[in-house]
Amino acid sequence: NLTGSNAITGTLTINANATLDADNTNNYNLTAAAITIAASGTYTARTSTITLSGSFSNSGTFTAGASTLTLNGTTDQTITTNSQAFYNLTLNNTGASGSDDIIISGALDIDNILTITDGDLDLNTNNPNMTLAGNLSIASAGSVTKGSGTWTFDGSGSSTWSDSSSAIQDLGAVTINGSSKTISTSTNVKAASITIGADDTLNITDDTLTLTGTGTVLTLTSGGTFTITSSTVIYTGTTTATTIGAVNYNNLTLTPTAATTYSLGGNLTGS
């Protein structure tokens, strides 16, 4: 067990058969340059805060509990997940543009909140799937580089999608698929495509949703809800034929950068 909040100037390595516990009573915090969890090694984080200036590499077991992992480096950092979940993840890499990437290796599953204060969430290098159960907050200096993996809002209850970056970040192929999950935007947002699950809701009231993909880019599954009060949906997919989703719209704008044919996917109804 940790016996106090610890600062390690180098790498913390948890080898096979070793278990590091943040302590169930005190939930001690940990600051390090990097963490490596070897195969058969275990880190039980409980409700602690883990702060890393380098990378997080997991080949063993990481039990997130209700912990927060913060990456605050000044050069590129890597998270190797071993397909195990985090609870809260905060990215605050203050490196120069091009050297502030947080590169994800393995499926990234966050059971609560993702905050991108500074730096670039790189989902393009390894194309992982991304799953988020809580709020998404992208600050003015934050960014996301999408890959070919999917982005799923899961979990239950209500969460927010907020993007205050200088250029609204394209999350790629987004699905809302939880247990009666509601995602409400609080800023303008962007995705290549959106699929809303059977008992789920996307609420874009007062905001603009930009869809950058082609083909079928907005799907409302029977039983799902798309709330559009005072909102705008913009289709920007270019060249390849794109289907306009058969949902109600408040304002609808088609803005390709080259000649593009759009087809109605059903009766088109305004609010």
Side-chain angles (χ1 to χ4, degrees):
N1 289 348
L2 293 175
T3 57
S5 294
N6 287 260
I8 300 169
T9 57
T11 298
L12 168 64
T13 301
I14 304 171
N15 281 321
N17 304 315
T19 297
L20 179 65
D21 194 314
D23 186 86
N24 189 39
T25 301
N26 296 294
N27 294 291
Y28 290 117
N29 299 329
L30 176 66
T31 301
I35 290 178
T36 298
I37 306 172
S40 299
T42 300
Y43 187 3
T44 303
R46 302 193 185 273
T47 62
S48 65
T49 297
I50 304 159
T51 303
L52 302 179
S53 58
S55 294
F56 179 95
S57 178
N58 179 23
S59 299
T61 300
F62 177 69
T63 304
S67 64
T68 298
L69 174 63
T70 298
L71 274 70
N72 67 348
T74 56
T75 59
D76 290 347
Q77 298 174 271
T78 299
I79 298 176
T80 303
T81 69
N82 200 22
S83 298
Q84 294 175 11
F86 300 94
Y87 188 70
N88 296 316
L89 178 62
T90 298
L91 308 181
N92 190 24
N93 186 304
T94 57
S97 178
S99 299
D100 61 347
D101 296 333
I102 297 90
I103 301 164
I104 307 302
S105 177
L108 180 58
D109 183 5
I110 301 171
D111 287 339
N112 198 38
I113 296 171
L114 172 59
T115 303
I116 307 175
T117 303
D118 201 344
D120 179 60
L121 175 60
D122 181 349
L123 302 175
N124 181 56
T125 298
N126 297 305
N127 297 302
N129 291 330
M130 165 81 198
T131 306
L132 177 62
N135 298 336
L136 170 63
S137 176
I138 305 173
S140 59
S143 62
V144 176
T145 302
K146 68 179 180 180
S148 60
T150 57
W151 185 301
T152 301
F153 290 100
D154 66 352
S156 60
S158 298
S159 298
T160 57
W161 175 2
S162 171
D163 188 341
S164 300
S165 62
S166 55
I168 303 301
Q169 303 302 299
D170 187 343
L171 300 189
V174 171
T175 297
I176 303 170
N177 186 22
S179 176
S180 299
K181 184 69 177 184
T182 295
I183 296 295
S184 298
T185 61
S186 58
T187 63
N188 297 337
V189 297
K190 184 183 294 185
S193 64
I194 298 275
T195 299
I196 303 169
D199 63 348
D200 304 305
T201 299
L202 175 61
N203 183 345
I204 61 168
T205 294
D206 296 327
D207 295 323
T208 295
L209 167 64
T210 300
L211 297 170
T212 63
T214 56
T216 301
V217 296
L218 180 55
T219 302
L220 177 61
T221 306
S222 178
T225 302
F226 185 40
T227 304
I228 57 169
T229 305
S230 302
S231 69
T232 299
V233 177
I234 302 175
Y235 285 75
T236 65
T238 298
T239 306
T240 302
T242 296
T243 300
I244 297 174
V247 301
N248 290 349
Y249 297 90
N250 182 56
N251 296 314
L252 174 62
T253 304
L254 310 180
T255 314
T257 57
T260 301
T261 298
Y262 293 92
S263 302
L264 295 179
N267 295 323
L268 185 61
T269 305
S271 62

